[in-house]
Coordinates of all heavy atoms in Angstrom, one line a residue:
M770 N -11.6 28.1 -11.5 CA -12.4 27.4 -10.5 C -11.8 26.1 -10.2 O -11.8 25.7 -9.0 CB -13.8 27.3 -11.0 CG -14.7 26.6 -10.0 SD -16.4 26.7 -10.5 CE -16.9 25.0 -10.1
L771 N -11.4 25.3 -11.2 CA -10.8 24.0 -10.9 C -9.5 24.1 -10.1 O -9.3 23.3 -9.2 CB -10.6 23.2 -12.1 CG -11.8 22.7 -12.9 CD1 -11.5 22.0 -14.1 CD2 -12.6 21.8 -12.0
S772 N -8.7 25.1 -10.3 CA -7.5 25.3 -9.5 C -7.8 25.6 -8.1 O -7.1 25.2 -7.2 CB -6.6 26.4 -10.2 OG -7.2 27.6 -10.1
G773 N -8.9 26.4 -7.9 CA -9.3 26.7 -6.5 C -9.8 25.4 -5.8 O -9.5 25.2 -4.6
L774 N -10.5 24.6 -6.5 CA -10.9 23.3 -5.9 C -9.7 22.4 -5.6 O -9.6 21.8 -4.6 CB -11.9 22.6 -6.9 CG -12.4 21.2 -6.4 CD1 -13.1 21.3 -5.1 CD2 -13.2 20.6 -7.5
A775 N -8.7 22.4 -6.6 CA -7.5 21.6 -6.3 C -6.8 22.1 -5.1 O -6.3 21.3 -4.3 CB -6.6 21.6 -7.6
Y776 N -6.7 23.4 -5.0 CA -6.0 24.0 -3.8 C -6.7 23.6 -2.5 O -6.1 23.2 -1.6 CB -6.0 25.5 -4.0 CG -5.3 26.2 -2.8 CD1 -3.9 26.4 -2.8 CD2 -6.0 26.6 -1.7 CE1 -3.3 27.0 -1.7 CE2 -5.4 27.2 -0.6 CZ -4.1 27.4 -0.6 OH -3.5 28.0 0.4
F777 N -8.0 23.7 -2.5 CA -8.8 23.4 -1.3 C -8.6 21.9 -1.0 O -8.3 21.6 0.2 CB -10.3 23.7 -1.6 CG -11.1 23.1 -0.5 CD1 -11.2 23.8 0.7 CD2 -11.9 22.0 -0.6 CE1 -12.0 23.4 1.8 CE2 -12.7 21.5 0.4 CZ -12.7 22.2 1.6
L778 N -8.7 21.0 -2.0 CA -8.5 19.6 -1.7 C -7.1 19.3 -1.2 O -7.0 18.5 -0.2 CB -8.8 18.8 -3.0 CG -10.3 18.7 -3.4 CD1 -10.4 18.0 -4.7 CD2 -11.2 18.1 -2.4
A779 N -6.1 19.8 -1.9 CA -4.8 19.5 -1.5 C -4.5 20.1 -0.1 O -3.9 19.4 0.7 CB -3.8 20.1 -2.5
S780 N -4.9 21.2 0.2 CA -4.7 21.9 1.5 C -5.5 21.2 2.6 O -4.9 20.8 3.6 CB -5.1 23.3 1.4 OG -4.9 23.9 2.7
T781 N -6.7 20.9 2.4 CA -7.6 20.4 3.5 C -7.4 18.9 3.7 O -7.3 18.5 4.9 CB -9.1 20.7 3.1 OG1 -9.2 22.1 3.0 CG2 -10.0 20.2 4.2
L782 N -7.3 18.2 2.6 CA -7.3 16.7 2.8 C -5.9 16.1 2.9 O -5.8 15.0 3.4 CB -8.0 16.1 1.6 CG -9.5 16.4 1.5 CD1 -10.1 15.8 0.2 CD2 -10.3 16.1 2.7
I783 N -4.9 16.8 2.5 CA -3.5 16.3 2.5 C -2.6 17.1 3.4 O -2.0 16.7 4.3 CB -3.0 16.0 1.1 CG1 -3.9 15.1 0.3 CG2 -1.6 15.5 1.2 CD1 -3.6 14.9 -1.1
L784 N -2.5 18.4 3.0 CA -1.4 19.2 3.6 C -1.7 19.5 5.1 O -0.8 19.3 5.9 CB -1.3 20.6 2.9 CG -0.2 21.4 3.4 CD1 1.2 20.8 3.0 CD2 -0.2 22.8 2.8
Q785 N -2.9 19.8 5.5 CA -3.2 20.1 6.9 C -3.0 18.9 7.8 O -2.4 19.0 8.9 CB -4.6 20.7 7.1 CG -4.6 22.1 6.5 CD -6.0 22.7 6.5 OE1 -7.0 22.1 7.0 NE2 -6.2 23.9 6.0
P786 N -3.4 17.7 7.4 CA -3.2 16.5 8.2 C -1.7 16.2 8.3 O -1.2 15.8 9.4 CB -3.9 15.4 7.5 CG -5.0 16.1 6.8 CD -4.4 17.4 6.3
V787 N -0.9 16.4 7.2 CA 0.5 16.2 7.2 C 1.2 17.1 8.2 O 2.0 16.7 9.1 CB 1.1 16.4 5.8 CG1 2.6 16.4 5.9 CG2 0.7 15.2 4.9
Q788 N 0.8 18.4 8.2 CA 1.4 19.4 9.1 C 1.1 19.1 10.5 O 1.9 19.2 11.4 CB 0.9 20.8 8.7 CG 1.5 21.4 7.5 CD 1.1 22.8 7.2 OE1 -0.1 23.1 7.3 NE2 2.0 23.6 6.9
A789 N -0.1 18.7 10.8 CA -0.5 18.3 12.2 C 0.3 17.1 12.7 O 0.8 17.1 13.8 CB -2.0 18.0 12.2
E790 N 0.4 16.1 11.8 CA 1.2 14.9 12.2 C 2.6 15.2 12.4 O 3.3 14.7 13.4 CB 1.0 13.8 11.2 CG 1.7 12.5 11.7 CD 1.3 11.3 10.9 OE1 0.2 11.2 10.4 OE2 2.1 10.4 10.8
V791 N 3.2 16.0 11.5 CA 4.6 16.4 11.7 C 4.8 17.1 13.0 O 5.7 16.8 13.8 CB 5.0 17.3 10.5 CG1 6.3 18.1 10.8 CG2 5.1 16.5 9.2
A792 N 4.0 18.1 13.3 CA 4.1 18.8 14.6 C 4.0 17.9 15.8 O 4.7 18.0 16.7 CB 3.1 20.0 14.6
D793 N 3.0 17.0 15.7 CA 2.8 16.1 16.9 C 3.9 15.2 17.1 O 4.4 15.0 18.2 CB 1.5 15.3 16.7 CG 0.2 16.1 16.8 OD1 0.3 17.2 17.4 OD2 -0.8 15.6 16.4
R794 N 4.4 14.6 16.0 CA 5.6 13.7 16.2 C 6.8 14.4 16.7 O 7.5 13.9 17.5 CB 5.9 13.0 14.8 CG 4.9 12.0 14.5 CD 5.4 11.2 13.3 NE 4.4 10.3 12.8 CZ 4.7 9.5 11.8 NH1 5.8 9.5 11.2 NH2 3.7 8.6 11.4
L795 N 7.1 15.6 16.2 CA 8.3 16.3 16.6 C 8.1 16.8 18.0 O 9.1 16.8 18.8 CB 8.6 17.4 15.6 CG 9.0 17.0 14.2 CD1 9.2 18.2 13.3 CD2 10.2 16.1 14.3
R796 N 6.9 17.2 18.4 CA 6.7 17.6 19.8 C 6.9 16.5 20.8 O 7.5 16.6 21.8 CB 5.4 18.3 20.0 CG 5.4 19.7 19.4 CD 4.1 20.4 19.8 NE 4.0 21.6 19.0 CZ 3.1 21.8 17.9 NH1 2.3 20.9 17.6 NH2 3.1 22.9 17.3
Q797 N 6.4 15.3 20.4 CA 6.5 14.1 21.2 C 8.0 13.7 21.4 O 8.4 13.2 22.4 CB 5.7 12.9 20.6 CG 4.2 13.1 20.8 CD 3.5 12.0 20.1 OE1 4.0 11.1 19.4 NE2 2.1 12.1 20.1
A798 N 8.7 14.0 20.3 CA 10.2 13.7 20.4 C 11.0 14.8 21.1 O 12.2 14.7 21.2 CB 10.7 13.5 19.0
K799 N 10.2 15.8 21.6 CA 10.8 16.9 22.3 C 11.9 17.6 21.4 O 12.9 18.0 21.9 CB 11.4 16.5 23.6 CG 10.4 15.9 24.5 CD 10.9 15.6 25.9 CE 10.0 15.0 26.9 NZ 8.8 14.8 27.0
V800 N 11.5 17.8 20.2 CA 12.3 18.6 19.3 C 12.1 20.1 19.5 O 11.0 20.5 19.9 CB 12.0 18.2 17.8 CG1 12.7 19.0 16.8 CG2 12.3 16.7 17.6
A801 N 13.1 20.9 19.3 CA 13.0 22.3 19.5 C 11.9 22.9 18.6 O 11.7 22.5 17.5 CB 14.4 23.0 19.2
P802 N 11.2 23.9 19.2 CA 10.1 24.6 18.4 C 10.6 25.1 17.0 O 9.8 25.1 16.1 CB 9.7 25.7 19.3 CG 10.0 25.3 20.7 CD 11.3 24.5 20.5
E803 N 11.9 25.5 17.0 CA 12.4 26.0 15.7 C 12.4 24.9 14.6 O 12.2 25.2 13.5 CB 13.8 26.6 15.9 CG 13.9 27.8 16.8 CD 14.0 27.4 18.3 OE1 14.5 26.3 18.6 OE2 13.5 28.1 19.1
V804 N 12.8 23.7 15.1 CA 12.8 22.6 14.1 C 11.4 22.2 13.7 O 11.2 21.9 12.5 CB 13.5 21.4 14.8 CG1 13.5 20.2 13.9 CG2 15.0 21.8 15.1
V805 N 10.4 22.3 14.6 CA 9.1 22.0 14.2 C 8.6 23.0 13.2 O 8.0 22.7 12.2 CB 8.1 22.1 15.5 CG1 6.7 21.9 15.1 CG2 8.5 21.0 16.5
A806 N 8.9 24.3 13.4 CA 8.5 25.3 12.5 C 9.2 25.1 11.1 O 8.6 25.3 10.1 CB 8.9 26.7 13.0
Q807 N 10.4 24.7 11.1 CA 11.2 24.4 9.9 C 10.5 23.3 9.1 O 10.4 23.3 7.9 CB 12.6 24.1 10.2 CG 13.5 23.9 9.0 CD 14.9 23.5 9.3 OE1 15.2 23.3 10.5 NE2 15.7 23.4 8.3
A808 N 10.2 22.2 9.9 CA 9.5 21.1 9.2 C 8.2 21.5 8.6 O 7.8 21.1 7.5 CB 9.3 20.0 10.2
Q809 N 7.4 22.3 9.3 CA 6.1 22.7 8.8 C 6.3 23.6 7.6 O 5.5 23.5 6.6 CB 5.3 23.4 9.9 CG 4.8 22.4 10.9 CD 3.9 23.1 12.0 OE1 4.3 24.1 12.5 NE2 2.8 22.4 12.3
A810 N 7.3 24.4 7.6 CA 7.6 25.3 6.4 C 8.0 24.4 5.2 O 7.5 24.7 4.1 CB 8.7 26.3 6.8
C811 N 8.7 23.4 5.4 CA 9.1 22.5 4.3 C 7.9 21.8 3.8 O 7.7 21.8 2.5 CB 10.1 21.4 4.8 SG 10.7 20.4 3.5
V812 N 7.0 21.4 4.6 CA 5.8 20.7 4.2 C 4.9 21.8 3.4 O 4.3 21.5 2.4 CB 5.0 20.1 5.3 CG1 3.6 19.6 4.9 CG2 5.8 18.9 5.9
S813 N 4.8 23.0 3.9 CA 4.0 24.0 3.3 C 4.6 24.4 1.9 O 3.8 24.7 1.0 CB 4.0 25.3 4.1 OG 3.3 25.0 5.3
S814 N 5.9 24.3 1.8 CA 6.5 24.6 0.5 C 6.1 23.6 -0.6 O 6.2 23.9 -1.8 CB 8.0 24.6 0.6 OG 8.5 23.3 0.8
A815 N 5.5 22.4 -0.2 CA 5.1 21.4 -1.1 C 3.7 21.7 -1.7 O 3.3 21.1 -2.7 CB 5.1 20.1 -0.5
L816 N 3.0 22.7 -1.1 CA 1.6 23.0 -1.6 C 1.5 23.3 -3.1 O 0.7 22.7 -3.7 CB 1.0 24.1 -0.7 CG -0.5 24.4 -1.0 CD1 -1.3 23.1 -0.8 CD2 -1.0 25.5 -0.2
P817 N 2.3 24.1 -3.7 CA 2.1 24.4 -5.1 C 2.3 23.1 -5.9 O 1.5 22.9 -6.9 CB 3.2 25.4 -5.4 CG 3.5 26.1 -4.1 CD 3.3 25.0 -3.1
T818 N 3.3 22.3 -5.6 CA 3.5 21.1 -6.3 C 2.3 20.1 -6.1 O 1.8 19.5 -7.0 CB 4.8 20.4 -5.9 OG1 5.8 21.3 -6.1 CG2 5.1 19.1 -6.7
L819 N 1.8 20.1 -4.9 CA 0.7 19.2 -4.5 C -0.6 19.7 -5.3 O -1.3 18.9 -5.8 CB 0.5 19.3 -3.0 CG -0.6 18.3 -2.4 CD1 -0.2 16.9 -2.8 CD2 -0.6 18.5 -0.9
V820 N -0.8 21.0 -5.3 CA -2.0 21.5 -6.1 C -1.9 21.2 -7.5 O -2.9 20.8 -8.1 CB -2.1 23.1 -5.8 CG1 -3.1 23.7 -6.8 CG2 -2.5 23.4 -4.4
Q821 N -0.7 21.3 -8.1 CA -0.5 21.0 -9.5 C -0.8 19.5 -9.7 O -1.5 19.1 -10.7 CB 0.9 21.3 -9.9 CG 1.2 20.9 -11.4 CD 0.5 21.9 -12.3 OE1 0.4 23.1 -12.1 NE2 0.0 21.3 -13.4
R822 N -0.3 18.6 -8.8 CA -0.6 17.2 -9.0 C -2.1 16.9 -8.8 O -2.6 16.1 -9.6 CB 0.2 16.5 -7.9 CG 0.1 15.0 -7.9 CD 1.1 14.3 -8.8 NE 0.9 12.9 -9.0 CZ 1.6 12.0 -8.3 NH1 2.6 12.3 -7.5 NH2 1.3 10.7 -8.6
V823 N -2.7 17.5 -7.9 CA -4.2 17.3 -7.7 C -4.9 17.8 -9.0 O -5.8 17.1 -9.5 CB -4.7 18.0 -6.5 CG1 -6.2 18.1 -6.4 CG2 -4.2 17.4 -5.2
G824 N -4.5 18.9 -9.5 CA -5.2 19.5 -10.7 C -5.0 18.6 -11.9 O -5.9 18.5 -12.8
D825 N -3.8 18.0 -12.0 CA -3.5 17.2 -13.2 C -4.1 15.8 -13.1 O -4.3 15.1 -14.1 CB -2.0 17.1 -13.4 CG -1.4 18.4 -13.8 OD1 -2.1 19.3 -14.2 OD2 -0.1 18.5 -13.7
D826 N -4.3 15.3 -11.9 CA -4.6 13.9 -11.7 C -5.6 13.7 -10.6 O -5.2 13.5 -9.4 CB -3.4 13.0 -11.5 CG -3.6 11.6 -11.5 OD1 -4.8 11.1 -11.6 OD2 -2.6 10.8 -11.4
Y827 N -6.9 13.9 -10.9 CA -7.9 13.8 -9.8 C -8.0 12.4 -9.2 O -8.3 12.3 -8.0 CB -9.3 14.2 -10.4 CG -9.4 15.7 -10.7 CD1 -9.6 16.1 -12.0 CD2 -9.3 16.6 -9.7 CE1 -9.7 17.5 -12.3 CE2 -9.4 18.0 -9.9 CZ -9.5 18.4 -11.2 OH -9.6 19.7 -11.5
W828 N -7.7 11.4 -10.0 CA -7.8 10.0 -9.5 C -6.7 9.9 -8.4 O -6.9 9.3 -7.3 CB -7.6 9.0 -10.6 CG -7.6 7.6 -10.1 CD1 -6.5 6.8 -10.0 CD2 -8.7 6.9 -9.5 NE1 -6.9 5.6 -9.4 CE2 -8.2 5.6 -9.1 CE3 -10.0 7.2 -9.3 CZ2 -9.0 4.7 -8.6 CZ3 -10.8 6.3 -8.7 CH2 -10.3 5.0 -8.4
W829 N -5.5 10.4 -8.7 CA -4.4 10.3 -7.7 C -4.8 11.1 -6.4 O -4.6 10.6 -5.3 CB -3.1 10.9 -8.2 CG -2.0 11.0 -7.2 CD1 -1.1 10.0 -6.9 CD2 -1.7 12.1 -6.3 NE1 -0.3 10.4 -5.9 CE2 -0.6 11.7 -5.5 CE3 -2.3 13.3 -6.1 CZ2 -0.1 12.5 -4.6 CZ3 -1.7 14.2 -5.2 CH2 -0.6 13.7 -4.4
A830 N -5.4 12.2 -6.6 CA -5.9 13.0 -5.5 C -6.9 12.3 -4.6 O -6.8 12.2 -3.4 CB -6.4 14.4 -5.9
A831 N -7.9 11.7 -5.3 CA -8.9 11.0 -4.5 C -8.4 9.8 -3.8 O -8.7 9.5 -2.6 CB -10.0 10.6 -5.5
T832 N -7.6 9.0 -4.5 CA -7.0 7.8 -3.9 C -6.0 8.1 -2.8 O -6.0 7.4 -1.8 CB -6.4 6.8 -4.9 OG1 -5.4 7.5 -5.6 CG2 -7.4 6.3 -5.9
T833 N -5.2 9.2 -3.0 CA -4.3 9.6 -2.0 C -5.0 10.1 -0.7 O -4.7 9.7 0.4 CB -3.3 10.6 -2.5 OG1 -2.6 10.1 -3.6 CG2 -2.3 11.1 -1.5
A834 N -6.0 11.0 -0.9 CA -6.7 11.5 0.2 C -7.4 10.4 1.0 O -7.4 10.3 2.2 CB -7.7 12.5 -0.3
A835 N -8.0 9.4 0.2 CA -8.7 8.3 0.9 C -7.7 7.4 1.6 O -8.0 7.0 2.8 CB -9.5 7.5 -0.1
G836 N -6.6 7.2 1.0 CA -5.5 6.4 1.7 C -5.0 7.0 2.9 O -4.8 6.4 4.0
V837 N -4.8 8.3 2.9 CA -4.3 9.1 4.1 C -5.4 9.0 5.2 O -5.2 8.7 6.3 CB -4.0 10.5 3.7 CG1 -3.8 11.4 5.0 CG2 -2.7 10.5 2.9
W838 N -6.7 9.3 4.8 CA -7.8 9.4 5.7 C -8.0 8.0 6.4 O -8.3 7.9 7.6 CB -9.0 9.8 5.0 CG -10.2 10.0 5.9 CD1 -10.4 11.0 6.8 CD2 -11.4 9.2 6.0 NE1 -11.6 10.9 7.5 CE2 -12.2 9.8 6.9 CE3 -11.8 8.1 5.3 CZ2 -13.4 9.3 7.3 CZ3 -13.0 7.6 5.6 CH2 -13.8 8.2 6.6
L839 N -7.9 6.9 5.6 CA -8.1 5.6 6.1 C -6.8 5.0 6.9 O -6.9 4.0 7.4 CB -8.5 4.6 5.0 CG -9.8 4.9 4.4 CD1 -10.0 4.0 3.1 CD2 -10.9 4.6 5.4
G840 N -5.7 5.7 6.8 CA -4.5 5.3 7.4 C -3.7 4.3 6.6 O -2.8 3.6 7.1
L841 N -4.1 4.1 5.3 CA -3.4 3.2 4.5 C -2.1 3.8 3.8 O -1.2 3.0 3.4 CB -4.3 2.6 3.4 CG -5.6 2.0 3.9 CD1 -6.6 1.6 2.8 CD2 -5.3 0.7 4.7
T842 N -2.1 5.1 3.6 CA -1.0 5.8 3.0 C -0.4 6.6 4.0 O -1.0 7.6 4.5 CB -1.5 6.6 1.8 OG1 -2.3 5.8 0.9 CG2 -0.4 7.3 1.1
P843 N 0.9 6.4 4.3 CA 1.6 7.2 5.2 C 1.8 8.6 4.7 O 2.1 8.9 3.5 CB 3.0 6.6 5.4 CG 2.9 5.2 4.8 CD 1.7 5.3 3.8
L844 N 1.5 9.6 5.6 CA 1.6 11.0 5.2 C 3.0 11.4 4.7 O 3.1 12.1 3.8 CB 1.2 11.9 6.3 CG -0.3 11.8 6.7 CD1 -0.6 12.5 8.0 CD2 -1.2 12.4 5.6
E845 N 4.0 10.8 5.3 CA 5.3 11.1 4.9 C 5.6 10.7 3.5 O 6.3 11.4 2.8 CB 6.4 10.3 5.8 CG 6.2 10.4 7.3 CD 5.3 9.3 7.8 OE1 5.6 8.1 7.6 OE2 4.4 9.7 8.5
R846 N 5.0 9.6 3.0 CA 5.2 9.2 1.6 C 4.6 10.2 0.7 O 5.2 10.5 -0.4 CB 4.6 7.8 1.4 CG 4.9 7.3 0.0 CD 4.6 5.9 -0.2 NE 3.2 5.6 0.3 CZ 2.6 4.5 -0.1 NH1 3.1 3.6 -0.8 NH2 1.4 4.3 0.4
V847 N 3.5 10.8 1.0 CA 2.8 11.8 0.1 C 3.8 13.0 0.0 O 4.0 13.5 -1.1 CB 1.5 12.2 0.7 CG1 0.9 13.3 -0.2 CG2 0.5 11.0 0.7
V848 N 4.3 13.5 1.1 CA 5.1 14.6 1.1 C 6.4 14.3 0.4 O 6.9 15.1 -0.5 CB 5.5 15.1 2.5 CG1 6.5 16.2 2.5 CG2 4.2 15.6 3.2
A849 N 7.0 13.2 0.6 CA 8.2 12.8 -0.1 C 8.0 12.7 -1.6 O 8.9 13.0 -2.4 CB 8.8 11.5 0.5
D850 N 6.9 12.2 -2.0 CA 6.6 12.1 -3.4 C 6.5 13.5 -4.1 O 7.0 13.7 -5.2 CB 5.3 11.4 -3.7 CG 5.4 9.9 -3.4 OD1 6.5 9.4 -3.3 OD2 4.4 9.2 -3.4
V851 N 5.8 14.4 -3.4 CA 5.6 15.7 -4.1 C 6.7 16.8 -3.7 O 6.8 17.8 -4.4 CB 4.2 16.3 -3.8 CG1 3.1 15.4 -4.3 CG2 4.0 16.6 -2.3
A852 N 7.4 16.5 -2.7 CA 8.5 17.5 -2.3 C 9.8 16.7 -1.9 O 10.1 16.6 -0.7 CB 8.0 18.3 -1.1
P853 N 10.5 16.3 -2.9 CA 11.7 15.6 -2.6 C 12.7 16.3 -1.8 O 13.5 15.8 -1.1 CB 12.3 15.3 -4.0 CG 11.2 15.4 -5.0 CD 10.2 16.4 -4.3
S854 N 12.6 17.7 -1.8 CA 13.5 18.5 -1.0 C 13.3 18.3 0.5 O 14.1 18.7 1.3 CB 13.4 20.0 -1.4 OG 12.1 20.4 -1.2
C855 N 12.1 17.8 0.8 CA 11.8 17.6 2.3 C 12.2 16.2 2.8 O 11.8 15.8 3.9 CB 10.3 17.8 2.5 SG 9.7 19.4 2.2
R856 N 12.9 15.5 2.0 CA 13.3 14.1 2.4 C 14.0 14.1 3.8 O 13.8 13.2 4.6 CB 14.1 13.4 1.4 CG 13.3 13.0 0.2 CD 13.9 11.9 -0.6 NE 13.1 11.7 -1.9 CZ 12.1 11.0 -2.0 NH1 11.6 10.3 -1.0 NH2 11.5 10.9 -3.2
G857 N 14.9 15.1 4.0 CA 15.6 15.1 5.3 C 14.7 15.3 6.4 O 14.8 14.7 7.5
T858 N 13.7 16.2 6.2 CA 12.6 16.4 7.3 C 11.8 15.1 7.5 O 11.6 14.7 8.6 CB 11.7 17.5 6.8 OG1 12.5 18.7 6.6 CG2 10.6 17.8 7.9
I859 N 11.5 14.4 6.4 CA 10.8 13.2 6.5 C 11.6 12.2 7.3 O 11.0 11.5 8.1 CB 10.4 12.7 5.1 CG1 9.6 13.7 4.3 CG2 9.7 11.3 5.2 CD1 8.3 14.0 5.0
D860 N 12.9 12.1 7.0 CA 13.7 11.1 7.7 C 13.7 11.4 9.2 O 13.7 10.5 10.1 CB 15.1 11.1 7.2 CG 15.1 10.5 5.7 OD1 14.2 9.8 5.4 OD2 16.1 10.7 5.0
T861 N 13.8 12.7 9.6 CA 13.7 13.1 11.0 C 12.4 12.7 11.6 O 12.4 12.2 12.8 CB 13.9 14.7 11.1 OG1 15.2 15.0 10.5 CG2 13.9 15.1 12.5
I862 N 11.3 12.9 10.9 CA 10.0 12.5 11.4 C 9.9 11.0 11.7 O 9.5 10.6 12.7 CB 8.9 13.0 10.5 CG1 8.9 14.6 10.5 CG2 7.5 12.5 10.9 CD1 8.1 15.1 9.3
R863 N 10.4 10.3 10.7 CA 10.4 8.8 10.8 C 11.2 8.3 12.0 O 10.8 7.4 12.6 CB 10.9 8.2 9.5 CG 9.9 8.2 8.4 CD 10.4 7.5 7.2 NE 9.5 7.6 6.1 CZ 9.8 7.6 4.8 NH1 11.1 7.5 4.5 NH2 8.9 7.7 3.9
A864 N 12.3 9.0 12.2 CA 13.2 8.6 13.3 C 12.6 8.9 14.7 O 13.0 8.3 15.7 CB 14.5 9.2 13.2
S865 N 11.7 9.8 14.7 CA 11.1 10.2 16.0 C 10.0 9.3 16.5 O 9.5 8.5 15.8 CB 10.6 11.7 16.0 OG 9.7 11.9 15.0

């Protein structure tokens, strides 16, 4: 049950807003749809690590979700923290 809750929290409060922001930024930069899909896939690949982190550290999950929601924590930083393999994608997003 707790893993289901962690999955829900990670997906709803962190991953979905990150995916939406990634898509918006890349579309505004007029990046090819294939690149947008690749970026979203990279972010989605972070979900298992994100769920694990949420399940292991509820305080981190709550403060991160609140920081993202309030605009105090950049979404890119959350993804870069839990999915270092997405750093190239994050750099592309920042540059756009």
